[in-house]
């Protein structure tokens, strides 16, 4: 069974490419010209997104190196202790909406220090699966279609992130 899945996985992309070429020939479309037009459009999109991506990467780097995340965690630790939310996950909760790679690094660090089968490890993995890199996603989607007013989108998305983090904590506490 594993060999069949590996064969299908390896053959999927070439088969799709051949099907696209066959369909293009059947419909009398200049397949290579259509490919070049799509590639040109893709490069234009990358150039439109580049300033946004540079800004996000700069902001994440500044947050990580300035120590502001540790300051915020220390500031809200009394509240998290009152709500019985492990303070160890707070750096993840802060970075997850901003950066996928930074939150992945924090998640790996948490799991190495506390273990994957601990309550903290379970909450960490659940947060990683139930939340999104909000700022990145909003920046990419809105810049591609030219939306300038993102205030309400950002508010709704951050509320969803908070709900996902709280739900992750509550559900993991119930099931652990």
């Amino acid at each position: 069974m594993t060999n069949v899945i590996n064969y299908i996985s390896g053959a999927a992309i070439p088969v799709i490419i051949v099907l696209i070429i066959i369909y293009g020939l059947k419909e009398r479309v200049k397949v290579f010209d259509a490919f070049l037009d799509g590639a040109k459009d893709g490069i234009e999109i990358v150039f439109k997104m580049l300033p946004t991506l540079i800004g996000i990467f700069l902001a994440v780097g500044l947050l990580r190196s300035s120590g502001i995340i540790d300051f915020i965690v220390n500031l809200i630790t009394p509240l998290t202790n009152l709500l019985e939310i492990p303070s160890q996950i707070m750096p993840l909760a802060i970075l997850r909406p901003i950066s996928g790679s930074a939150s992945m690094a924090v998640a790996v660090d948490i799991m190495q220090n506390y273990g994957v089968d601990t309550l903290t490890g379970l909450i960490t993995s659940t947060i990683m699966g139930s939340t999104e890199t909000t700022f990145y996603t909003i920046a990419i989607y809105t810049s591609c279609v030219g939306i300038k007013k993102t205030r309400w989108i950002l508010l709704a998305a951050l509320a969803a992130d908070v709900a996902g983090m709280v739900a992750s904590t509550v559900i993991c506490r119930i099931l652990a």
Side-chain angles (χ1 to χ4, degrees), residues 112-129:
Q112 284 177 344
N113 289 329
Y114 299 98
V116 293
D117 291 334
T118 63
L119 178 62
T120 303
L122 292 173
I123 293 171
T124 298
S125 60
T126 307
I127 286 173
M128 288 297 290

Side-chain angles (χ1 to χ4, degrees), residues 46-90:
V46 167
F47 281 122
K48 287 180 184 176
M49 292 184 330
L50 196 59
T52 305
L53 291 174
I54 291 171
I56 288 173
F57 292 144
L58 178 67
V60 169
L62 289 173
L63 280 175
R64 290 183 79 185
S65 63
S66 69
I68 197 164
I69 293 175
D70 294 331
F71 175 74
I72 293 170
V73 168
N74 290 335
L75 192 67
I76 61 176
T77 295
L79 178 64
T80 59
N81 290 341
L82 183 67
L83 298 173
E84 297 183 10
I85 298 173
S87 61
Q88 299 88 351
I89 66 164
M90 292 317 296

Side-chain angles (χ1 to χ4, degrees), residues 1-12:
M1 186 64 176
T2 305
N3 290 338
V4 173
I5 292 172
N6 286 339
Y7 176 76
I8 291 172
S9 299

Side-chain angles (χ1 to χ4, degrees), residues 7 28 31 34 39-40 53 57 59 89 106 127 141 145 172:
Y7 176 76
R28 299 185 189 270
V31 178
K40 185 175 75 173
L53 291 174
F57 292 144
I89 66 164
V106 170
I127 286 173
Y141 290 160
V145 294
C172 287

Side-chain angles (χ1 to χ4, degrees), residues 142-143 146-151:
T142 57
S143 69
I147 296 173
K148 300 289 183 204
K149 298 178 181 176
T150 61
R151 178 178 49 186

Side-chain angles (χ1 to χ4, degrees), residues 52 134-135 137-158:
T52 305
T134 302
F135 289 99
T137 305
I138 290 173
I140 296 302
Y141 290 160
T142 57
S143 69
C144 283
V145 294
I147 296 173
K148 300 289 183 204
K149 298 178 181 176
T150 61
R151 178 178 49 186
W152 299 112
I153 297 170
L154 181 61
L155 186 63
L158 289 176

